[in-house]
Amino acid sequence: MVLDRATGEPEHRSFADVLDYLRPGDLMVFNQSRVIPARLFGVRDDNGGRVEFLLLRREADGVWEALARPGRRLRPGATVSIIPPDGLELPSGLSVEVLESRAEGLKAVRLSSETAIDRMGHTPLPPYIRSALDDPARYQTVYAKEPGSAAAPTAGLHFTPELLSRISESGVETAFVTLHVGFGPFRSGAVCLVVTVPLPTCPPTAHIHDTYSSVLLR
């Protein structure tokens, strides 16, 4: 939907028509963060209870901030053996240790191996996507590059390689930043404004490549 600022009249258009509203010399900024398979399922080593982790932010080698479910009884020192996506092979070789309980249900956890995340993890999908994806790549933007997000910057999912090519050919400039998305999309009513308003639930993890710094600051 396009809202005419002069008349206040709305107009329904296709996203592919975005070029009708761009001019040569305009600048479009894209978030090139890539979604990681940050959802891990496992069983507690002490009582066999099922546990789900959502990795949100890497803090050090092997150490992540994460959501855990159920998390209230998952206290520091607890260990969880991760189940492979096929659910059949145990043990998997990947375990998670709870290091610290934090506000708002967050945990600090240590992974026995970070290289196993791609093999053992599941692509996290926000609640408004209700069916599983046959191809996890569908939940990535076509220009995703830097891994680290728990959710896709969904506004970018509308862009195709063909549309990006047309934008470039029209004289519109493009720049890329890396802004990893936290768990705001998974919370009902939550809003992440990680660039200008660093909320406790959405710590800023932004990076602007030197190539684009001067363009963005001009």
Side-chain angles (χ1 to χ4, degrees):
M1 185 177 72
V2 179
L3 182 65
D4 190 312
R5 290 190 294 178
T7 65
E9 291 296 321
E11 181 182 7
H12 293 281
R13 301 289 299 271
S14 168
F15 187 79
D17 299 329
V18 67
L19 273 170
D20 293 344
Y21 303 94
L22 298 173
R23 297 167 298 181
D26 285 349
L27 174 66
M28 299 190 73
V29 181
F30 297 90
N31 183 5
Q32 62 183 357
S33 179
R34 186 174 186 84
V35 180
I36 63 173
R39 203 170 194 175
L40 301 173
F41 297 91
V43 293
R44 291 183 58 156
D45 293 332
D46 56 358
N47 60 19
R50 296 275 175 165
V51 178
E52 174 186 346
F53 291 103
L54 178 62
L55 304 178
L56 299 174
R57 182 166 61 96
R58 188 176 189 268
E59 298 185 338
D61 288 348
V63 178
W64 289 71
E65 185 170 69
L67 281 175
R69 185 173 63 178
R72 183 169 296 179
R73 296 182 180 179
L74 201 62
R75 297 186 172 91
T79 57
V80 176
S81 293
I82 300 304
I83 301 172
D86 58 21
L88 300 177
E89 180 187 347
L90 280 175
S92 67
L94 175 61
S95 64
V96 178
E97 178 189 2
V98 178
L99 302 178
E100 179 186 359
S101 294
R102 298 177 177 176
E104 304 187 26
L106 296 172
K107 306 284 185 183
V109 300
R110 177 183 289 116
L111 277 63
S112 61
S113 170
E114 290 183 304
T115 59
I117 294 176
D118 285 342
R119 178 170 52 90
M120 305 299 298
H122 301 251
T123 299
L125 299 176
Y128 52 81
I129 297 180
R130 299 186 179 184
S131 58
L133 299 180
D134 295 331
D135 181 7
R138 291 180 57 198
Y139 193 54
Q140 302 279 8
T141 62
V142 295
Y143 44 80
K145 182 179 179 181
E146 301 293 340
S149 277
T154 49
L157 295 176
H158 299 289
F159 289 93
T160 64
E162 293 76 18
L163 180 55
L164 290 173
S165 178
R166 289 171 55 204
I167 289 172
S168 177
E169 292 170 357
S170 71
V172 174
E173 296 183 58
T174 57
F176 294 87
V177 300
T178 301
L179 180 61
H180 295 317
V181 181
F183 75 102
F186 300 91
R187 299 187 61 185
S188 177
V191 177
C192 279
L193 301 176
V194 292
V195 179
T196 57
V197 186
L199 304 178
T201 56
C202 304
T205 51
H207 173 72
I208 300 174
H209 194 279
D210 291 343
T211 305
Y212 304 114
S213 299
S214 58
V215 176
L216 296 172
L217 295 175
R218 69 186 179 189

